[in-house]
mmCIF file of all heavy atoms in Angstrom:
data_model
loop_
_atom_site.group_PDB
_atom_site.id
_atom_site.type_symbol
_atom_site.label_atom_id
_atom_site.label_comp_id
_atom_site.label_asym_id
_atom_site.label_seq_id
_atom_site.Cartn_x
_atom_site.Cartn_y
_atom_site.Cartn_z
ATOM 1 N N GLU D 270 0.860 -1.183 0.000
ATOM 2 C CA GLU D 270 0.000 0.000 0.000
ATOM 3 C C GLU D 270 0.891 1.226 0.000
ATOM 4 O O GLU D 270 2.052 1.170 0.401
ATOM 5 C CB GLU D 270 -0.958 0.009 1.181
ATOM 6 C CG GLU D 270 -0.309 -0.026 2.534
ATOM 7 C CD GLU D 270 -1.356 -0.092 3.638
ATOM 8 O OE1 GLU D 270 -2.375 -0.756 3.474
ATOM 9 O OE2 GLU D 270 -1.102 0.550 4.679
ATOM 10 N N GLY D 271 0.325 2.323 -0.481
ATOM 11 C CA GLY D 271 1.111 3.541 -0.540
ATOM 12 C C GLY D 271 0.252 4.751 -0.789
ATOM 13 O O GLY D 271 -0.943 4.652 -1.080
ATOM 14 N N GLU D 272 0.890 5.907 -0.686
ATOM 15 C CA GLU D 272 0.230 7.169 -0.987
ATOM 16 C C GLU D 272 1.284 8.216 -1.256
ATOM 17 O O GLU D 272 2.413 8.127 -0.784
ATOM 18 C CB GLU D 272 -0.698 7.600 0.142
ATOM 19 C CG GLU D 272 -0.025 7.784 1.489
ATOM 20 C CD GLU D 272 -1.034 8.115 2.574
ATOM 21 O OE1 GLU D 272 -1.323 9.317 2.747
ATOM 22 O OE2 GLU D 272 -1.523 7.183 3.222
ATOM 23 N N GLY D 273 0.901 9.199 -2.054
ATOM 24 C CA GLY D 273 1.833 10.272 -2.363
ATOM 25 C C GLY D 273 1.384 11.074 -3.561
ATOM 26 O O GLY D 273 0.305 10.874 -4.109
ATOM 27 N N LEU D 274 2.239 11.989 -3.952
ATOM 28 C CA LEU D 274 1.952 12.886 -5.071
ATOM 29 C C LEU D 274 2.328 12.235 -6.393
ATOM 30 O O LEU D 274 3.361 11.576 -6.496
ATOM 31 C CB LEU D 274 2.741 14.181 -4.902
ATOM 32 C CG LEU D 274 2.443 14.980 -3.637
ATOM 33 C CD1 LEU D 274 3.406 16.146 -3.506
ATOM 34 C CD2 LEU D 274 1.002 15.469 -3.646
ATOM 35 N N LEU D 275 1.482 12.433 -7.383
ATOM 36 C CA LEU D 275 1.768 11.982 -8.743
ATOM 37 C C LEU D 275 1.828 13.212 -9.640
ATOM 38 O O LEU D 275 1.053 14.155 -9.466
ATOM 39 C CB LEU D 275 0.684 11.040 -9.258
ATOM 40 C CG LEU D 275 0.579 9.678 -8.589
ATOM 41 C CD1 LEU D 275 -0.526 8.864 -9.244
ATOM 42 C CD2 LEU D 275 1.891 8.921 -8.680
ATOM 43 N N TYR D 276 2.717 13.196 -10.577
ATOM 44 C CA TYR D 276 2.875 14.312 -11.498
ATOM 45 C C TYR D 276 2.177 13.985 -12.802
ATOM 46 O O TYR D 276 2.157 12.845 -13.241
ATOM 47 C CB TYR D 276 4.360 14.614 -11.703
ATOM 48 C CG TYR D 276 4.999 14.994 -10.395
ATOM 49 C CD1 TYR D 276 5.563 14.025 -9.564
ATOM 50 C CD2 TYR D 276 4.976 16.310 -9.956
ATOM 51 C CE1 TYR D 276 6.108 14.374 -8.337
ATOM 52 C CE2 TYR D 276 5.510 16.655 -8.726
ATOM 53 C CZ TYR D 276 6.074 15.683 -7.921
ATOM 54 O OH TYR D 276 6.590 16.027 -6.705
ATOM 55 N N VAL D 277 1.592 14.998 -13.412
ATOM 56 C CA VAL D 277 0.841 14.824 -14.656
ATOM 57 C C VAL D 277 1.679 15.409 -15.785
ATOM 58 O O VAL D 277 2.132 16.552 -15.691
ATOM 59 C CB VAL D 277 -0.520 15.544 -14.582
ATOM 60 C CG1 VAL D 277 -1.324 15.286 -15.848
ATOM 61 C CG2 VAL D 277 -1.291 15.111 -13.346
ATOM 62 N N ASP D 278 1.865 14.637 -16.827
ATOM 63 C CA ASP D 278 2.639 15.113 -17.975
ATOM 64 C C ASP D 278 2.067 16.428 -18.501
ATOM 65 O O ASP D 278 0.883 16.518 -18.825
ATOM 66 C CB ASP D 278 2.625 14.072 -19.099
ATOM 67 C CG ASP D 278 3.428 12.832 -18.763
ATOM 68 O OD1 ASP D 278 4.143 12.841 -17.744
ATOM 69 O OD2 ASP D 278 3.331 11.855 -19.520
ATOM 70 N N GLY D 279 2.893 17.466 -18.546
ATOM 71 C CA GLY D 279 2.514 18.731 -19.128
ATOM 72 C C GLY D 279 1.600 19.612 -18.296
ATOM 73 O O GLY D 279 1.077 20.597 -18.794
ATOM 74 N N GLN D 280 1.379 19.282 -17.027
ATOM 75 C CA GLN D 280 0.496 20.082 -16.180
ATOM 76 C C GLN D 280 1.187 20.435 -14.862
ATOM 77 O O GLN D 280 2.046 19.704 -14.383
ATOM 78 C CB GLN D 280 -0.793 19.327 -15.866
ATOM 79 C CG GLN D 280 -1.645 19.067 -17.081
ATOM 80 C CD GLN D 280 -2.944 18.370 -16.715
ATOM 81 O OE1 GLN D 280 -3.370 18.371 -15.579
ATOM 82 N NE2 GLN D 280 -3.566 17.755 -17.712
ATOM 83 N N ALA D 281 0.758 21.551 -14.284
ATOM 84 C CA ALA D 281 1.319 21.978 -13.003
ATOM 85 C C ALA D 281 0.624 21.304 -11.821
ATOM 86 O O ALA D 281 1.154 21.278 -10.725
ATOM 87 C CB ALA D 281 1.210 23.494 -12.863
ATOM 88 N N ASP D 282 -0.587 20.758 -12.047
ATOM 89 C CA ASP D 282 -1.316 20.082 -10.966
ATOM 90 C C ASP D 282 -0.532 18.875 -10.466
ATOM 91 O O ASP D 282 0.095 18.156 -11.240
ATOM 92 C CB ASP D 282 -2.681 19.598 -11.450
ATOM 93 C CG ASP D 282 -3.605 20.731 -11.819
ATOM 94 O OD1 ASP D 282 -3.374 21.860 -11.337
ATOM 95 O OD2 ASP D 282 -4.542 20.488 -12.582
ATOM 96 N N VAL D 283 -0.585 18.666 -9.163
ATOM 97 C CA VAL D 283 0.087 17.518 -8.552
ATOM 98 C C VAL D 283 -0.946 16.786 -7.695
ATOM 99 O O VAL D 283 -1.106 17.069 -6.517
ATOM 100 C CB VAL D 283 1.293 17.963 -7.699
ATOM 101 C CG1 VAL D 283 2.040 16.754 -7.162
ATOM 102 C CG2 VAL D 283 2.237 18.832 -8.515
ATOM 103 N N PRO D 284 -1.689 15.840 -8.294
ATOM 104 C CA PRO D 284 -2.719 15.134 -7.538
ATOM 105 C C PRO D 284 -2.136 14.118 -6.565
ATOM 106 O O PRO D 284 -0.996 13.681 -6.701
ATOM 107 C CB PRO D 284 -3.544 14.447 -8.619
ATOM 108 C CG PRO D 284 -2.616 14.309 -9.770
ATOM 109 C CD PRO D 284 -1.651 15.450 -9.692
ATOM 110 N N TYR D 285 -2.945 13.755 -5.574
ATOM 111 C CA TYR D 285 -2.545 12.822 -4.528
ATOM 112 C C TYR D 285 -3.214 11.471 -4.784
ATOM 113 O O TYR D 285 -4.391 11.406 -5.120
ATOM 114 C CB TYR D 285 -2.986 13.384 -3.174
ATOM 115 C CG TYR D 285 -2.288 12.764 -2.002
ATOM 116 C CD1 TYR D 285 -1.017 13.183 -1.640
ATOM 117 C CD2 TYR D 285 -2.892 11.778 -1.235
ATOM 118 C CE1 TYR D 285 -0.359 12.651 -0.545
ATOM 119 C CE2 TYR D 285 -2.234 11.218 -0.141
ATOM 120 C CZ TYR D 285 -0.980 11.660 0.186
ATOM 121 O OH TYR D 285 -0.327 11.115 1.274
ATOM 122 N N VAL D 286 -2.458 10.405 -4.622
ATOM 123 C CA VAL D 286 -2.989 9.060 -4.826
ATOM 124 C C VAL D 286 -2.854 8.257 -3.543
ATOM 125 O O VAL D 286 -1.897 8.424 -2.790
ATOM 126 C CB VAL D 286 -2.251 8.329 -5.986
ATOM 127 C CG1 VAL D 286 -0.789 8.083 -5.648
ATOM 128 C CG2 VAL D 286 -2.940 7.030 -6.350
ATOM 129 N N ARG D 287 -3.845 7.438 -3.277
ATOM 130 C CA ARG D 287 -3.789 6.422 -2.213
ATOM 131 C C ARG D 287 -4.123 5.097 -2.874
ATOM 132 O O ARG D 287 -5.090 5.023 -3.645
ATOM 133 C CB ARG D 287 -4.812 6.709 -1.117
ATOM 134 C CG ARG D 287 -4.408 7.811 -0.227
ATOM 135 C CD ARG D 287 -5.250 7.822 1.059
ATOM 136 N NE ARG D 287 -4.695 8.805 1.940
ATOM 137 C CZ ARG D 287 -5.329 9.892 2.351
ATOM 138 N NH1 ARG D 287 -6.570 10.096 1.974
ATOM 139 N NH2 ARG D 287 -4.733 10.747 3.142
ATOM 140 N N PHE D 288 -3.354 4.059 -2.564
ATOM 141 C CA PHE D 288 -3.611 2.788 -3.231
ATOM 142 C C PHE D 288 -3.194 1.610 -2.362
ATOM 143 O O PHE D 288 -2.392 1.742 -1.441
ATOM 144 C CB PHE D 288 -2.869 2.719 -4.577
ATOM 145 C CG PHE D 288 -1.377 2.638 -4.455
ATOM 146 C CD1 PHE D 288 -0.733 1.418 -4.419
ATOM 147 C CD2 PHE D 288 -0.614 3.792 -4.386
ATOM 148 C CE1 PHE D 288 0.652 1.339 -4.295
ATOM 149 C CE2 PHE D 288 0.758 3.736 -4.279
ATOM 150 C CZ PHE D 288 1.406 2.502 -4.232
ATOM 151 N N SER D 289 -3.753 0.472 -2.708
ATOM 152 C CA SER D 289 -3.315 -0.795 -2.141
ATOM 153 C C SER D 289 -3.318 -1.810 -3.257
ATOM 154 O O SER D 289 -4.069 -1.698 -4.230
ATOM 155 C CB SER D 289 -4.218 -1.245 -0.994
ATOM 156 O OG SER D 289 -5.518 -1.517 -1.465
ATOM 157 N N VAL D 290 -2.451 -2.792 -3.129
ATOM 158 C CA VAL D 290 -2.368 -3.878 -4.088
ATOM 159 C C VAL D 290 -2.456 -5.174 -3.303
ATOM 160 O O VAL D 290 -1.694 -5.399 -2.364
ATOM 161 C CB VAL D 290 -1.033 -3.847 -4.876
ATOM 162 C CG1 VAL D 290 -0.956 -5.007 -5.849
ATOM 163 C CG2 VAL D 290 -0.879 -2.530 -5.608
ATOM 164 N N ASP D 291 -3.427 -6.009 -3.671
ATOM 165 C CA ASP D 291 -3.581 -7.319 -3.045
ATOM 166 C C ASP D 291 -3.194 -8.353 -4.083
ATOM 167 O O ASP D 291 -3.866 -8.498 -5.100
ATOM 168 C CB ASP D 291 -5.021 -7.520 -2.589
ATOM 169 C CG ASP D 291 -5.235 -8.852 -1.905
ATOM 170 O OD1 ASP D 291 -4.284 -9.656 -1.801
ATOM 171 O OD2 ASP D 291 -6.369 -9.112 -1.475
ATOM 172 N N CYS D 292 -2.096 -9.041 -3.830
ATOM 173 C CA CYS D 292 -1.605 -10.035 -4.778
ATOM 174 C C CYS D 292 -2.139 -11.424 -4.476
ATOM 175 O O CYS D 292 -1.803 -12.383 -5.162
ATOM 176 C CB CYS D 292 -0.084 -10.036 -4.774
ATOM 177 S SG CYS D 292 0.625 -8.464 -5.306
ATOM 178 N N GLY D 293 -2.963 -11.529 -3.422
ATOM 179 C CA GLY D 293 -3.683 -12.715 -3.004
ATOM 180 C C GLY D 293 -2.992 -13.973 -3.219
ATOM 181 O O GLY D 293 -3.263 -15.044 -3.258
#
């Protein structure tokens, strides 16, 4: 699991992502 800022190609906006990965 993780969270942090993601950068968008060609944009000044820096959105925040939260995610988890279940590999079961």
Side-chain angles (χ1 to χ4, degrees):
E270 59 183 37
E272 59 184 272
L274 300 173
L275 292 181
Y276 299 90
V277 183
D278 290 351
Q280 295 183 18
D282 295 339
V283 184
Y285 198 81
V286 65
R287 284 195 173 117
F288 69 92
S289 65
V290 179
D291 181 358
C292 298

